[in-house]
C-alpha cells in the first residue's frame, strides 16, 4: 500500500534538506515561493538556522503572527502577515532582487505546473481569459543558486503528468530546476536527466515511471531501497 | 528655506503640472503595504485620462489604485502581478479590453525603475530569457550565458507612501511597506509623498530616501 | 584699470547665482568639485538654502569643522574633513552616483584646464608621466542638469587660452558645460557659441576677446555695461 | 546557529580559499575613510602575488592599501583616482612599469560593482562617451543620446570596513566611511569585514548591508 506524503510531510522533508552554507555557521538563504513552499517556514529544523528571504524586501522572515497580532506593514510575497526574526532586515525591491539576481539566494523553493527533464519550468501562466501574472518567479529561477520545486501531487488531478519531457505551458525559465519534491518521490534533475533519490514506501519503480512523463534513473540509495522492499 | 511640506493632499495634487492626461505614474506599494492610498484617491478627483500606471499589483477591492482604475483614469498598467485576490476591477477592465497590460517580471520591473532613477538607459538580465516575456526583446550572450536587454522606466510622477519625513524630504518607511517606494521616488520628474508623520530631522544614517528625490509631501497621520 | 576677481569673489558670485528649485522652497542640489569649487561652500546666501552633494556619499555638506573637531569618517570628495548640516544624509557610492547620473543634481561646479565654445570640457588629464586620475568628473558632466566651470584665471599663467575653439587636452565630456565663471567674466555657452553676460569693470570687449580663444557675443545686459563704461 | 564572527583577523584570512594568487579583490574606502586597513595589513602577510585590486584610490602613505602595494602583492589596480596626496608607493610602481592601471570614472566604477552584485552583466551609461576612457568600448544610441556599454565587476573577495555588526552579518557604517563598502560587500564570492564593534542585533530598519552579503567578520575596536 503506497502512502503518499501530505504537503506538510513534503515541507518537513524539504526543510530537513536545506544545507548549511559553505562555511561553518554561515547558514543558508532561502526564498519560499507563494503557496505550498510557504509551508516550509512551519518546520524549523532543530539545531539548524537558515534565513528566509521574502522578495518584497525582508530577510529573516518568521512564522505567521498570532491572531490579532497581524501588522499589515509586515507581509510576505503572498501578501500574508508574517513576523521578523532576530537578525532580520528590511530593504527595497531593487536591493531585494539584487540578492536574487546576483546569486546570493542559496535556494529558491517554488511550486510548478510542469517541470521538464531538462530543468525547464512552467509555473506562471495557464490557458484562459485571466490576465497573466508572473511576480518574482522568473527572477528567482534565473538568479538563485538552486531551484527546488514542490509538487503537492506527482500527477495532476486529471492524471496529466507534471514531470514531463518538454513543458507545453509558457515557460518561467530554461534549465533552471535542480530538484523536485513530490508526494511520491524526490528527483534530482541532472545533465543526464531525472534521477530518483528517494521514494515513498510501497511504491515500485514501474509505478513511479508510469506517473512521470520522462525517463527516470534511480540513484544507488534509491535502488537499495527498492531492492530492500522487493526482498 | 527648503520646505517640501504641503498642508493638504488636494493642494499638493493641484500644484503638480506633471499630473496630466497621458502621464506615466509610478505608484509604490506591494499588495496593500506601502500603497499611497490617500494620495491616489485625491488624484482620482482630478479626472485624468489615459494614465500609464506602473505598480507591482493592479489594486484590490475598490480603494487605492482600484479606485483610480474604476474612475477610468488608467489606459495602461505595467505590473508584475495583476491577479491578486480581490483585483476585480482590473480583471473586469482587462476582460472588456478597456485597459492595456504589460507584464514585467518583478525583479526586472524593480531594476528598470531603479535604472530610470540612476540614469542607466538599458541593462541586461538573465530573467525571462527563453520565455514569452522576452519575446521581441533583444538578447545577448555574455560569458556563455544568455541575457535579455531591458530598458529603464522613467515617469512623470511618482506617488509614494512613507513613515516619517523632515522638511528636506528625507524619508523612512515602515517595515516591508518600503518595497517599491524608494526606487520609484528616484525615477520620476516629480515625486509626491504621503507621510504618516513629519519629524524635525531624520537621523542622517537612517535616511532611506534622501530628500533630493522628493518634491512635495503631506502628513496623513498614523493608520 | 581692470580689477580681476579673486577666487573668493568668483565663489561668492557663483553662490549668488545658484537658483531655487522649480517649486517654491524646493532648493537646489549642487555638487562642488575638488579644488576651487569647494570655496562656494564658504559663501552662504542669506535667505536661500541649497543642499551640497559630495560624491563620496553625503548630502547636506557643511563647512569645514573647527580645528581639532575633524572627524575623518566625515570627509568630502577632496578627502578633507567637513561637517553635515541638519537635513543631511549618508548613502553609498552607487546611490550617490545614481543621484548624479540620474539627473538629480541641479548644478555641478567644476574646475577646468580647457573649455570649448561647443561646451566640451577637459579637466582631468595633463601630459606627463603621472598616472591619470579621473574621479567623478566624467559622471558629473554627463549627469548633472547644468555644469558650471570656475576658472581662477581667464588665461593660463603662460598666456595660453583656457577658453578655446576646440579642446586639445583629453576630454572629460562633450557639449556639457553651460556656463563659465572666470576672474574676468561670466560666459554662457549656448548653441550659438559663447555669450558674455557679465564682465569686470574697466575691461573692454576687445581685451576680453584677446584673452579668449573663441568668438564672443555679448548679451544685452553686458552691452549696456560696456557702453555705460564707455560713456 | 548562524554566527559569522571570527576571533582574529589572522584566523579569518587563513580560512579564506578565495584569497589566492591572481584573485580579484575589492577594497572598500574612499581616501582614508572606510578603508579596512587592519584587514589589508593582515592579508599582506600572506605574501600573495598578482592580485587585481579594485578600490577608488591607490592608497597613501605606507599603511593600508599602500602596504599591500609595497609588499608586491598587486599586479593591477582598477580605480578612479590613484593620484591622491601621498600615493607615493603606487606612483613609483606605476612609473617603473611594475603595475597595470585601469582608470574608471568613479560613478561607472561604483555602478559596475553594484551590477556585479546585482547579477547585471552589463549596462549603458553616458559617462565617458567621446573621451579616452571610452576608447575600445562599445557605444550605442538610445533616444538620441550616446552611451557606453560597461561590464559588471565581480570579485573573489571583498574587504570592507563597518561600524557595527551582529552575528548574522548585518552591518552599519560610520558616516561617509560607508562609500564603496556596501556595494563591494555584494559583489564578491567571499566578503570579509573588519567591524569596529559587535552588537547583539542591528535594528532591522537600520541595517545598511544585510547579512546575506557577509561571509566572515572580526571586531577591531573603535579607532
Amino acid at each position: 500500500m503506497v502512502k503518499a506524503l501530505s504537503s506538510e510531510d513534503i515541507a518537513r522533508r524539504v526543510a530537513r534538506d536545506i544545507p548549511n552554507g559553505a562555511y561553518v555557521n554561515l547558514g543558508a538563504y532561502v526564498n519560499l515561493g507563494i503557496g505550498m513552499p510557504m509551508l516550509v517556514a512551519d518546520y524549523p529544523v532543530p539545531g539548524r538556522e537558515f534565513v528566509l528571504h521574502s522578495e518584497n524586501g525582508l530577510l529573516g522572515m518568521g512564522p505567521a503572527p498570532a491572531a490579532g497580532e497581524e501588522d499589515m506593514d509586515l507581509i510576505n510575497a503572498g501578501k500574508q502577515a508574517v513576523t521578523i526574526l532576530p537578525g532580520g532586515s528590511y530593504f527595497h525591491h531593487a536591493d531585494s532582487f539584487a540578492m536574487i539576481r546576483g546569486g546570493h539566494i542559496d535556494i529558491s523553493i517554488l511550486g510548478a505546473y510542469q517541470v521538464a527533464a531538462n530543468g525547464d519550468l512552467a509555473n506562471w501562466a495557464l490557458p484562459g481569459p485571466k490576465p497573466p501574472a508572473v511576480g518574482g518567479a522568473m527572477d528567482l529561477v534565473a538568479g538563485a543558486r538552486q531551484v527546488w520545486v514542490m509538487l503537492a501531487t506527482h500527477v495532476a488531478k486529471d492524471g496529466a503528468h507534471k514531470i514531463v519531457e518538454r513543458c507545453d505551458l509558457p515557460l518561467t525559465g530554461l534549465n533552471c530546476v535542480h530538484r523536485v519534491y513530490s508526494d511520491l518521490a524526490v528527483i534530482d534533475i541532472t545533465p543526464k536527466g531525472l534521477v530518483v533519490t528517494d521514494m515513498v514506501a510501497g511504491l515500485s519503480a514501474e509505478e513511479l515511471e508510469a506517473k512521470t512523463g520522462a525517463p527516470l534513473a534511480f540513484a544507488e540509495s534509491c535502488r537499495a531501497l527498492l531492492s530492500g522492499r522487493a526482498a | 528655506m527648503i520646505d517640501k511640506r504641503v498642508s493638504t493632499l488636494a493642494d499638493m495634487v493641484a500644484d503638480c503640472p506633471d499630473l496630466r492626461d497621458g502621464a506615466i505614474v509610478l505608484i509604490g506599494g506591494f499588495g496593500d503595504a506601502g500603497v499611497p492610498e490617500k494620495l491616489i484617491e485625491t488624484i482620482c478627483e482630478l479626472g485624468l485620462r489615459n494614465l500609464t500606471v506602473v505598480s507591482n499589483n493592479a489594486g484590490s477591492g475598490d480603494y487605492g489604485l482600484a479606485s483610480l482604475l474604476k474612475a477610468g483614469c488608467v489606459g495602461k498598467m505595467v505590473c508584475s502581478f495583476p491577479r491578486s485576490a480581490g483585483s476585480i476591477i482590473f480583471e473586469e477592465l482587462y476582460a472588456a479590453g478597456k485597459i492595456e497590460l504589460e507584464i514585467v517580471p518583478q525583479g526586472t520591473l524593480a531594476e528598470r525603475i531603479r535604472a530610470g532613477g540612476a540614469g542607466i538607459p538599458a541593462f541586461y538580465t538573465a530573467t525571462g530569457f527563453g520565455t514569452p516575456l522576452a519575446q521581441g526583446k533583444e538578447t545577448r550572450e555574455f560569458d556563455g550565458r544568455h541575457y535579455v536587454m531591458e530598458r529603464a522606466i522613467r515617469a512623470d510622477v511618482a506617488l509614494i507612501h512613507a513613515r516619517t519625513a523632515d522638511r528636506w524630504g528625507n524619508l523612512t518607511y515602515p517595515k516591508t511597506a518600503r518595497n517599491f517606494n524608494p526606487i520609484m521616488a528616484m525615477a520620476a520628474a516629480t515625486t509626491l509623498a504621503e507621510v504618516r508623520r513629519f519629524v524635525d530631522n531624520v537621523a542622517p544614517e537612517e535616511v532611506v530616501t534622501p530628500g533630493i528625490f522628493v518634491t512635495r509631501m503631506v502628513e496623513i497621520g498614523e493608520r
Side-chain angles (χ1 to χ4, degrees), chain A, chain B:
Chain A
M1 174 62 193
V2 175
K3 190 170 179 315
L5 301 180
S6 68
S7 291
E8 289 69 24
D9 290 337
I10 302 174
R12 191 180 295 113
R13 167 64 193 266
V14 167
R16 222 181 57 205
D17 284 359
I18 294 172
N20 262 313
Y23 281 76
V24 176
N25 300 332
L26 193 64
Y29 292 85
V30 179
N31 182 288
L32 303 181
I34 299 180
M36 184 177 170
M38 294 283 182
L39 289 175
V40 174
D42 295 338
Y43 297 97
V45 181
R48 199 181 314 153
E49 185 180 10
F50 49 80
V51 178
L52 295 178
H53 174 265
S54 190
E55 67 194 18
N56 52 318
L58 170 63
L59 272 174
M61 181 169 67
E69 301 281 305
E70 296 88 355
D71 174 355
M72 294 317 287
D73 286 334
L74 179 43
I75 61 173
N76 64 14
K79 284 100 181 177
Q80 300 154 314
V82 291
T83 52
I84 184 170
L85 298 176
S89 56
Y90 301 108
F91 33 85
H92 64 56
H93 245 77
D95 281 348
S96 182
F97 281 86
M99 294 175 192
I100 294 170
R101 200 188 304 100
H104 306 281
I105 301 292
D106 293 297
I107 308 168
S108 159
I109 304 177
L110 291 166
Y113 301 139
Q114 292 178 328
V115 183
N118 65 353
D120 288 359
L121 174 68
N123 80 344
W124 70 285
L126 288 173
K130 289 267 190 181
V134 67
M138 288 188 183
D139 307 282
L140 283 160
V141 301
R145 290 184 198 164
Q146 288 208 26
V147 176
W148 294 359
V149 159
M150 289 171 77
L151 299 176
T153 58
H154 199 88
V155 294
K157 276 181 199 146
D158 63 0
H161 290 145
K162 292 182 177 177
I163 303 172
V164 296
E165 193 67 53
R166 288 286 176 274
C167 299
D168 53 23
L169 289 170
L171 291 182
T172 308
L174 308 181
N175 308 115
C176 55
V177 179
H178 296 79
R179 191 182 289 173
V180 180
Y181 291 87
S182 78
D183 58 336
L184 299 181
V186 181
I187 302 178
D188 278 350
I189 298 183
T190 76
K192 293 182 177 173
L194 303 176
V195 178
V196 182
T197 61
D198 208 350
M199 289 166 62
V200 295
L203 187 71
S204 72
E206 293 70 26
E207 286 168 317
L208 189 63
E209 281 169 335
K211 290 172 184 285
T212 305
L216 294 177
F218 291 84
E220 206 58 54
S221 57
C222 201
R223 273 202 296 268
L225 216 63
L226 284 166
S227 61
R229 271 208 316 282
Chain B
M1 196 174 83
I2 295 173
D3 192 349
K4 302 180 179 180
R5 296 170 296 183
V6 179
S7 299
T8 71
L9 290 162
D11 285 353
M12 181 167 76
V13 159
D15 182 31
C16 179
D18 284 323
L19 274 174
R20 56 176 185 272
D21 289 350
I24 301 175
V25 181
L26 306 174
I27 302 186
F30 178 90
D32 286 350
V35 177
E37 285 177 16
K38 290 191 161 58
L39 183 46
I40 297 168
E41 285 166 10
T42 308
I43 287 169
C44 264
E45 292 163 23
L46 297 178
L48 298 170
R49 282 296 172 268
N50 201 28
L51 299 178
T52 292
V53 169
V54 182
S55 194
N56 190 65
N57 306 102
S60 61
D62 57 0
Y63 53 91
L65 175 51
S67 65
L68 200 65
L69 291 163
K70 192 174 184 181
C73 305
V74 184
K76 179 179 177 183
M77 279 293 315
V78 180
C79 60
S80 90
F81 208 85
R83 218 173 49 204
S84 300
S87 57
I88 318 235
I89 292 173
F90 174 80
E91 291 190 15
E92 284 173 3
L93 289 168
Y94 181 80
K98 289 184 177 163
I99 195 161
E100 194 184 339
L101 172 65
E102 179 182 345
I103 287 285
V104 183
Q106 195 169 324
T108 297
L109 183 63
E111 191 66 12
R112 288 177 64 191
I113 295 165
R114 191 261 175 197
I120 304 292
F123 61 90
Y124 294 89
T125 174
T127 301
F129 179 81
T131 77
L133 296 190
Q135 269 169 18
K137 290 185 173 168
E138 196 175 315
T139 62
R140 181 161 173 165
E141 196 175 323
F142 292 101
D143 302 330
R145 192 167 184 204
H146 296 280
Y147 297 87
V148 182
M149 191 179 82
E150 295 282 357
R151 296 297 308 275
I153 296 176
R154 269 200 68 88
D156 298 297
V157 182
L159 309 177
I160 65 171
H161 178 95
R163 173 187 272 161
T164 60
D166 59 26
R167 68 176 168 89
W168 296 273
N170 293 307
L171 306 182
T172 69
Y173 301 91
K175 301 176 185 171
T176 60
R178 187 181 300 197
N179 56 60
F180 279 90
N181 286 298
I183 50 175
M184 288 183 168
M186 297 168 65
T190 297
T191 293
L192 305 180
E194 60 168 55
V195 176
R196 294 190 191 171
R197 190 160 51 86
F198 285 155
V199 297
D200 285 344
N201 203 322
V202 178
E205 278 167 344
E206 290 165 25
V207 169
V208 176
T209 291
I212 191 170
F213 297 124
V214 177
T215 316
R216 284 285 184 261
M217 55 206 184
V218 168
E219 188 177 46
I220 58 162
E222 304 286 344
R223 27 175 97 186

